[in-house]
Amino acid sequence: QVQLVESGGGLVQPGGSLRLSCAASESIAFIDRMGWYRQAPDKERELVAEISYTGSTTYADSVTGRFTIFKDNAKNTLILQMIGLKPEDTAVYYCNAVPPDHPRFGSWGRGTQVTVSW
C-alpha cells in the first residue's frame, strides 16, 4: 500500500504563508483524485482542496483564492500552497485520495499541524 507522509506545517501569524508537502511512497500520478483534508479541534475532517489526474482542481469555499493544490509527479509529492492564512485555518492537515477509501491507501498519515495565531 502507498504510505503518505505530510510535512511543512508549523506556527504562522495571520496573513502568513505555508507550503505543505505530502510525500507518497510510490506514484500518485494516476490516482483519479487526490486531496488535502484538515481537521480542526472538535470538528470532523473536511476536504479543502483536490486535484484530478488531469490537473483540474477544486477548492472549498473557505480557502478559494488562498490555497493552491498541485502535484510534482516526478517526486511523488502532493503540495498545498497556502497564503493569507487565517486563525480558522488552524487544523491538522492530511493528504489522501478523494474519497479517502482508495484501495491503495490503507490508512491516514499522521498529518501536519498548522497553527495560525499571534
Side-chain angles (χ1 to χ4, degrees):
Q1 292 182 308
V2 179
Q3 280 74 56
L4 302 169
V5 180
E6 300 92 345
S7 64
L11 175 63
V12 64
Q13 294 180 349
S17 302
L18 283 173
R19 185 184 183 98
L20 307 184
S21 296
C22 171
S25 60
E26 59 186 271
S27 177
I28 57 171
F30 305 114
I31 303 296
D32 283 351
R33 300 156 73 201
M34 291 291 298
W36 282 95
Y37 299 77
R38 68 185 183 189
Q39 187 168 23
D42 207 32
K43 295 185 67 177
E44 300 229 312
R45 210 186 320 258
E46 63 172 337
L47 178 67
V48 297
E50 63 180 283
I51 185 167
S52 76
Y53 77 99
T54 65
S56 62
T57 58
T58 305
Y59 300 92
D61 288 345
S62 59
V63 308
T64 294
R66 300 187 298 117
F67 290 13
T68 303
I69 185 171
F70 60 97
K71 291 180 181 178
D72 184 342
N73 285 329
K75 295 181 173 65
N76 298 332
T77 301
L78 183 70
I79 307 296
L80 185 67
Q81 179 67 54
M82 307 185 294
I83 64 172
L85 284 163
K86 303 175 180 180
E88 50 264 46
D89 296 318
T90 296
V92 179
Y93 284 71
Y94 305 86
C95 61
N96 212 327
V98 180
D101 61 356
H102 196 285
R104 292 181 63 193
F105 301 91
S107 63
W108 295 89
R110 292 177 181 267
T112 186
Q113 175 72 50
V114 171
T115 303
V116 185
S117 177
W118 295 105

